[in-house]
Amino acid sequence: MGSDMTVAGRRWWQTWTAWTLWLLLMLSMWTMIYWYNLISTMATAEEALISMCDERARMLQDQFAVSVNHVHALAVLISTFHFQKNPSVMDQDTFAFYTGMTSFERPLLNGVAYAQRVLHSERRNFESQQGWTIKTMKGEPSPEQDEYAPVIFSQETVSYLEVLDMMSGEEDRENILRSRATGKAVLTNPFRLLESNHLGVVLTLPVYRMGLPADATVEERIEATAGYLGGAFDVESLVENLLRKLAGNQDIVVNVYDVTNNSDPLIMYGPRYSEGYKLLSHVSMLDFGDPFRKHDMVCRYSQKPPIPWSAITSPSGMVVIFMLVAYILYAAQNRYVMVMEDCRKMEELKVQAEAADIAKSQFLATVSHEIRTPMNGVLGMLDMLLDTDLNLAQKDYAQTAQVCGKALIALINEVLDRAKIEAGKLEIEAVPFDLRSILDDILSLFSAKSREKGIELAAFVSNDVPEVLTGDPGRFRQIITNLVGNSVKFTERGHILVQVHLAEHSNMLIEGMACSDANVRVDEVGTVSGCAKFNTLSGYEAADDRNCWEKFKRLLPSEGSHDTVFSLNCVTDEKDSKRVTLMVSVEDTGIGIPLHAQQRVFTPFMQADSSTSRNYGGTGIGLSISKCLVELMGGRISFISRPNIGSTFTFTATFQQCTRNPGGDPKRSLSEELPPCFKGMKALLVDEKPVRSAVTSYHLQRLGISVEVTESLKISLGAMFRKNGCFGIGNNRMPKVLLIEKESWSNIDACLRKQLLEWKNSDRVSNAPKVILLGTSECDKTKGELLLDIVIMKPLRASTVAVCLQQALEVENLLRKELPNGPVFLPSLLMDKNILVVDDNKVNLRVAAAALKKYGAKVECAERGKWLFLSFKSLTSSMPASWMSKCQRWMGLRLPAKYGSWRMKPKSKQG
């Protein structure tokens, strides 16, 4: 029991000690805050006192300076009208009247008077002219002296100074001598004025004759002195009137001192004995213009500044706050323990989530890779199956399975690309590539789908774009393929146009019309302003008016510019390379993007139609991957879309322009070489739409063909031959081919069709141009079979156009003789060749072996490094030494000098 009481007492003592220490701490804090507020209050009061004192001193100086300036003006008046006029126009009455009327301009002066300088030799004449005798300040006749200063003009208020010699007063004499020597106004010591009995000072100002230079010496100033102008200042009234006008004068006490003699300062205003709160005071210097005298203004509070309530309430409030804080800290301590426990659990969950995410990524990459391996085998086996004898149903099943497998491979590739982008492991290559060949390949990829839908699919590259660039052709192809694929998917009528221009040329034409990543130029009704809405490739309205004909034609090459030859013999040289920024746009006339979905177009796995019953397939990551690839190429992607009108996606990409190559022609490695047999040939194109005719001319000019465009077939035929069937132009100017768009061909009448048929069958016509129809669907091949020599199906490609023209003109392809290609070339290349195939997947091994054996090759298969070693030894037994070394470097093998023994150079754990 005693032990429990002892523990309880100890706890009570600890609690009491803690409270006592806390209260002492709070009391100390209250005292510190109180003194801090008190010091701050006194500092604020001192700043206010300084501000008020300086303000009063400045206003006093300004008013005194104004009065001095008026005295200066009066001195100039006397000098001008009294000494410069002969006879003088100034007398006592005039002076008294003028100064009395203008006294409001000198409110600080009791009066002004003018004393003329009179030498002793001039005294008699002066006294006889004035009619009175010069007297001293005491009223007695002035004794003889060198010079006198009798007052001849005075204001009515100081008329008692008339006839008095100002030189007779000792202090006045000193002021007169100092003023004429310096040329400035000087002041006397403070004294009691005669009438008001107030303290005041006398201002003395010299009056010089005209013509005194500014840098005159003292002797010259004395010689030029004509008189002295003086005035009495009532300092007490001046300061009293000034302070009465200002607020806060009841709170401060003001004293004005003459401190010329620091040991014995003379009081000019204020109580003679110190009053008010002496701990706070401020001294402001006064400058009345007299360099020989110094004046000060001393200000102090009349009472001690009151202590504000905040000096007491603030520390009290702080004590209350800290008491509450103590309680809050106690409650927070308990809460902190609970939160820390929750944080620990959250950290564990975070680690588990991150591990799950990493496992998911690894699983995705692994499974995608493992799926792609058997899928390649499936596609290979389907290719082999299609080469066998199948009936129509079996062939249809195999082709359907092959299409589905390719779609699955494309999906897996997109997922892997997205995973690489998220991991930051996607890299951009830098290799030379032919931009125009890539666009031709993309058009070929979607040609069947576009013909099936009957839509125009075309590409146009500006002539200023170099033919060969250095960059990543695979990723560039992937971006355009994604955009064109989306356009083909969502477009049922109209056109899809791919354009490539230099960014600086395009920006000059569309300056001020740039848009952000989101569509910022679409309103609710989808209206745009600018160019004609239907002057497009197919005649359907497009979403972006920046691609209209008015701006498109400015980017077309001028006459003769298609003969420009770009340098193809190039490699990337960092010192000689040049940056080229391209602007690529993909325009379609499809269904467009709904307004509510335009903000999330580039979001991964997001689609405009996310319902389970949507009409279009896809994963929704193509655009997000394209956006990331564009940014990796140093560009930006944006779009403009209008529902039920179409969409236009635009992106920029930066490449390097190839400048030189010490040897070799990259044409063969970068693209299919175009035949040179069409250079200098002339063609006539009939097309009503200028954009479409420009695209067709672009492909023909790539072959070296000169193109003339007309809008009407009737005009074209009339220009080529007369009514009697003879040509109206020379053979040297006659076009070799006549290309007609299907719309222009459909619009010709029966008479013109009959005339054209007679013209083609006539024996009088020689070297008639071949008539070629440009169609977009398979049904166009059957139109006008008797009148047409050949039908070229769109989309147009330079190589496809070249083959069709060779067939129509019966031109021999010299290029094919030099370099055979296709199935005819492969057997001659692989026949009886020994080829080693190594793969750890048996299915892929069988697919590769079967594909090579089909072209006559002798194939050896190996599944691992050991069999690779044995097979390589058997295959290379008769190999030249140079070939042997190349194989070693490629496969990682090391071979002794005499091929006596073999061993594997390990390159990886799987080797």
Side-chain angles (χ1 to χ4, degrees):
M1 187 69 179
S3 178
D4 293 341
M5 291 296 294
T6 303
V7 173
R10 187 182 299 112
R11 291 179 179 175
W12 178 85
W13 176 254
Q14 291 176 352
T15 304
W16 177 255
T17 303
W19 273 106
T20 302
L21 293 176
W22 181 255
L23 290 176
L24 290 175
L25 179 61
M26 291 297 100
L27 182 60
S28 301
M29 183 176 294
W30 187 92
T31 305
M32 292 173 59
I33 297 175
Y34 172 78
W35 279 107
Y36 175 78
N37 290 338
L38 183 61
I39 294 173
S40 300
T41 301
M42 299 303 292
T44 304
E46 184 177 4
E47 292 177 358
L49 179 64
I50 293 172
S51 176
M52 289 189 294
C53 192
D54 290 342
E55 180 184 9
R56 284 153 177 76
R58 183 176 62 255
M59 295 182 65
L60 181 61
Q61 289 180 173
D62 292 343
Q63 291 192 11
F64 192 88
V66 170
S67 298
V68 172
N69 290 336
H70 283 291
V71 174
H72 271 283
L74 190 58
V76 174
L77 183 69
I78 295 173
S79 176
T80 303
F81 291 98
H82 181 63
F83 292 102
Q84 299 299 321
K85 299 293 184 178
N86 191 13
S88 173
V89 296
M90 181 75 69
D91 55 12
Q92 170 58 33
D93 294 336
T94 303
F95 184 85
F97 176 77
Y98 176 77
T99 54
M101 294 297 293
T102 59
S103 60
F104 68 93
E105 296 179 348
R106 301 176 297 279
L108 308 182
L109 291 175
N110 290 351
V112 292
Y114 173 69
Q116 183 174 335
R117 182 191 180 198
V118 179
L119 299 178
H120 180 68
S121 59
E122 302 172 348
R123 178 174 180 175
R124 286 189 180 179
N125 293 334
F126 175 78
E127 290 179 342
S128 61
Q129 291 176 359
Q130 297 294 332
W132 41 262
T133 303
I134 300 175
K135 298 181 180 180
T136 64
M137 299 295 291
K138 297 180 180 180
E140 301 175 353
S142 177
E144 294 183 1
Q145 51 188 15
D146 295 337
E147 59 179 298
Y148 311 91
V151 176
I152 60 175
F153 303 140
S154 63
Q155 193 175 338
E156 292 293 338
T157 56
V158 291
S159 58
Y160 57 86
L161 296 177
E162 192 175 353
V163 310
L164 297 181
D165 181 13
M166 305 307 296
M167 283 285 194
S168 61
E170 182 177 354
E171 190 168 354
D172 292 333
R173 178 182 180 87
E174 181 182 352
N175 279 11
I176 288 173
L177 296 180
R178 282 197 296 119
S179 65
R180 74 182 186 183
T182 60
K184 298 181 179 180
V186 296
L187 300 174
T188 62
N189 287 329
F191 64 93
R192 294 287 176 179
L193 299 178
L194 295 179
E195 293 186 355
S196 63
N197 200 29
H198 290 172
L199 285 175
V201 293
V202 173
L203 171 73
T204 304
L205 186 69
V207 178
Y208 297 110
R209 294 183 178 88
M210 301 297 289
L212 180 67
D215 57 347
T217 61
V218 176
E219 291 76 10
E220 292 175 344
R221 290 182 181 277
I222 295 174
E223 183 67 23
T225 301
Y228 315 97
L229 188 64
F233 277 95
D234 189 345
V235 178
E236 289 190 15
S237 300
L238 168 64
V239 179
E240 189 69 30
N241 293 333
L242 174 64
L243 297 180
R244 189 181 301 113
K245 298 177 182 178
L246 298 176
N249 291 317
Q250 66 277 10
D251 298 332
I252 63 173
V253 178
V254 177
N255 285 79
V256 179
Y257 294 93
D258 185 335
V259 292
T260 305
N261 185 3
N262 289 330
S263 60
D264 185 18
L266 302 176
I267 187 169
M268 300 176 66
Y269 174 80
R272 188 167 299 275
Y273 303 100
S274 298
E275 297 179 358
Y277 185 65
K278 298 181 181 179
L279 294 181
L280 287 180
S281 63
H282 178 69
V283 179
S284 297
M285 295 184 61
L286 297 173
D287 184 8
F288 290 143
D290 188 349
F292 298 100
R293 293 200 172 274
K294 299 179 181 179
H295 302 84
D296 287 340
M297 176 181 285
V298 180
C299 303
R300 64 178 60 86
Y301 282 105
S302 58
Q303 296 178 357
K304 180 180 178 180
I307 300 175
W309 277 103
S310 60
I312 300 175
T313 58
S314 295
S316 302
M318 293 296 293
V319 168
V320 174
I321 291 174
F322 277 104
M323 293 296 290
L324 294 175
V325 168
Y327 175 77
I328 293 173
L329 290 176
Y330 172 76
Q333 177 65 24
N334 295 333
R335 182 63 179 171
Y336 174 76
V337 175
M338 298 175 61
V339 171
M340 288 299 296
E341 182 64 21
D342 293 340
C343 289
R344 185 186 62 80
K345 294 180 180 179
M346 291 177 63
E347 287 291 337
E348 293 178 356
L349 295 175
K350 178 184 177 184
V351 172
Q352 296 176 5
E354 290 177 349
D357 185 64
I358 294 174
K360 180 211 63 171
S361 299
Q362 292 177 350
F363 172 79
L364 182 63
T366 303
V367 171
S368 300
H369 177 74
E370 294 301 327
I371 292 176
R372 187 162 52 178
T373 299
M375 279 305 303
N376 289 331
V378 171
L379 293 177
M381 288 297 180
L382 288 173
D383 284 334
M384 296 170 58
L385 180 62
L386 289 173
D387 289 337
T388 61
D389 293 333
L390 303 175
N391 57 35
L392 294 179
Q394 292 171 339
K395 189 173 183 179
D396 181 61
Y397 297 158
Q399 289 176 345
T400 303
Q402 190 180 42
V403 170
C404 295
K406 291 181 179 179
L408 181 58
I409 286 291
L411 174 60
I412 294 173
N413 290 335
E414 288 183 351
V415 172
L416 287 178
D417 285 342
R418 188 66 203 178
K420 287 182 180 180
I421 291 173
E422 291 179 352
K425 296 181 179 180
L426 189 65
E427 297 180 354
I428 298 298
E429 295 181 349
V431 296
F433 68 95
D434 187 352
L435 173 68
R436 291 164 175 81
S437 295
I438 288 179
L439 292 181
D440 287 346
D441 294 341
I442 295 174
L443 295 183
S444 177
L445 182 63
F446 297 99
S447 59
K449 193 68 175 178
S450 64
R451 293 170 187 170
E452 179 183 346
K453 290 187 172 184
I455 59 177
E456 290 267 0
L457 176 60
F460 178 84
V461 181
S462 176
N463 215 39
D464 298 326
V465 177
E467 189 169 348
V468 177
L469 299 170
T470 299
D472 194 331
R475 298 303 178 184
F476 184 71
R477 181 198 306 268
Q478 183 178 359
I479 297 171
I480 301 181
T481 301
N482 285 341
L483 297 179
V484 175
N486 287 341
S487 297
V488 172
K489 183 191 302 183
F490 297 108
T491 303
E492 300 297 333
R493 85 289 185 273
H495 68 271
I496 300 171
L497 176 60
V498 183
Q499 297 186 52
V500 182
H501 305 285
L502 292 180
E504 54 267 24
H505 293 176
S506 298
N507 290 337
M508 287 189 298
L509 294 179
I510 61 176
E511 184 179 5
M513 302 175 65
C515 60
S516 61
D517 287 354
N519 185 5
V520 297
R521 300 177 57 226
V522 178
D523 53 16
E524 296 182 357
V525 296
T527 59
V528 291
S529 60
C531 306
K533 296 181 180 179
F534 302 100
N535 201 354
T536 58
L537 179 68
S538 62
Y540 284 86
E541 185 179 6
D544 189 358
D545 63 347
R546 295 179 300 179
N547 291 334
C548 67
W549 171 246
E550 293 300 323
K551 295 185 176 64
F552 181 78
K553 67 181 180 181
R554 302 182 187 179
L555 298 173
L556 296 179
S558 58
E559 184 177 357
S561 63
H562 58 271
D563 297 331
T564 304
V565 179
F566 296 105
S567 174
L568 293 176
N569 298 328
C570 59
V571 292
T572 303
D573 189 349
E574 186 175 354
K575 295 182 179 179
D576 299 333
S577 62
K578 180 181 178 183
R579 294 171 62 88
V580 177
T581 302
L582 302 182
M583 177 174 287
V584 184
S585 65
V586 179
E587 175 186 274
D588 66 67
T589 56
I591 62 175
I593 303 174
L595 296 178
H596 68 273
Q598 292 184 4
Q599 298 296 330
R600 51 189 175 91
V601 163
F602 295 107
T603 304
F605 305 105
M606 297 297 292
Q607 292 186 327
D609 182 10
S610 58
S611 63
T612 57
S613 60
R614 53 195 174 98
N615 298 323
Y616 305 97
T619 60
I621 60 176
L623 288 178
S624 66
I625 293 175
S626 300
K627 183 176 185 294
C628 296
L629 294 177
V630 167
E631 292 174 352
L632 287 176
M633 292 182 180
R636 294 182 60 191
I637 187 170
S638 60
F639 73 94
I640 293 179
S641 181
R642 296 166 60 195
N644 301 321
I645 299 297
S647 304
T648 300
F649 282 81
T650 304
F651 71 91
T652 58
T654 302
F655 301 99
Q656 300 290 336
Q657 180 180 352
C658 296
T659 56
R660 56 186 176 87
N661 184 12
D665 188 359
K667 262 190 174 184
R668 294 183 180 272
S669 59
L670 298 178
S671 63
E672 181 181 358
E673 187 175 358
L674 299 177
C677 55
F678 300 106
K679 291 186 177 180
M681 186 179 296
K682 298 181 180 179
L684 184 62
L685 175 63
V686 180
D687 195 350
E688 300 174 356
K689 295 182 174 60
V691 176
R692 185 170 58 190
S693 63
V695 173
T696 305
S697 301
Y698 154 71
H699 290 285
L700 295 175
Q701 289 169 359
R702 291 176 60 189
L703 299 174
I705 301 176
S706 176
V707 185
E708 181 180 354
V709 181
T710 61
E711 297 181 357
S712 172
L713 179 61
K714 184 176 182 179
I715 298 175
S716 303
L717 296 178
M720 285 193 299
F721 61 90
R722 300 186 183 93
K723 293 183 179 180
N724 57 4
C726 297
F727 286 110
I729 54 179
N731 289 335
N732 57 342
R733 297 179 55 193
M734 176 61 62
K736 290 290 185 182
V737 292
L738 173 62
L739 296 100
I740 307 173
E741 277 290 338
K742 67 169 185 177
E743 294 179 3
S744 300
W745 180 257
S746 302
N747 294 333
I748 63 175
D749 53 11
C751 180
L752 186 59
R753 190 183 299 268
K754 180 179 179 180
Q755 184 180 1
L756 181 61
L757 180 61
E758 294 176 355
W759 168 63
K760 285 182 65 66
N761 296 330
S762 176
D763 297 335
R764 294 175 297 173
V765 179
S766 61
N767 296 327
K770 300 295 182 181
V771 181
I772 300 175
L773 178 67
L774 301 177
T776 57
S777 61
E778 296 295 335
C779 61
D780 295 331
K781 292 184 178 180
T782 61
K783 294 181 179 180
E785 293 182 350
L786 298 177
L787 298 178
L788 301 175
D789 294 288
I790 195 172
V791 177
I792 298 179
M793 299 303 301
K794 294 183 179 181
L796 296 181
R797 297 172 53 203
S799 58
T800 305
V801 174
V803 172
C804 294
L805 291 180
Q806 288 170 350
Q807 180 181 353
L809 299 175
E810 298 179 355
V811 177
E812 192 174 10
N813 191 353
L814 301 178
L815 185 62
R816 290 190 175 183
K817 287 186 176 181
E818 296 175 2
L819 183 62
N821 54 21
V824 180
F825 174 62
L826 287 177
S828 61
L829 179 65
L830 300 177
M831 183 64 67
D832 297 329
K833 296 297 189 300
N834 294 323
I835 298 178
L836 175 63
V837 180
V838 182
D839 199 320
D840 57 353
N841 186 283
K842 294 183 179 181
V843 176
N844 291 343
L845 200 62
R846 292 181 57 189
V847 172
L852 292 172
K853 287 179 180 179
K854 186 172 69 172
Y855 295 107
K858 298 178 180 180
V859 182
E860 287 288 339
C861 298
E863 297 181 7
R864 61 187 63 186
K866 180 179 179 180
W867 303 112
L868 169 64
F869 158 69
L870 295 176
S871 302
F872 183 77
K873 181 178 179 181
S874 64
L875 288 173
T876 58
S877 59
S878 60
M879 216 180 253
S882 59
W883 289 28
M884 182 71 68
S885 60
K886 292 181 180 179
C887 292
Q888 291 180 68
R889 288 194 298 270
W890 176 70
M891 302 181 65
L893 296 173
R894 291 186 295 178
L895 182 64
K898 296 183 179 180
Y899 313 115
S901 61
W902 290 79
R903 56 179 173 170
M904 178 68 68
K905 178 183 178 183
K907 296 186 68 177
S908 64
K909 294 182 179 181
Q910 297 179 354

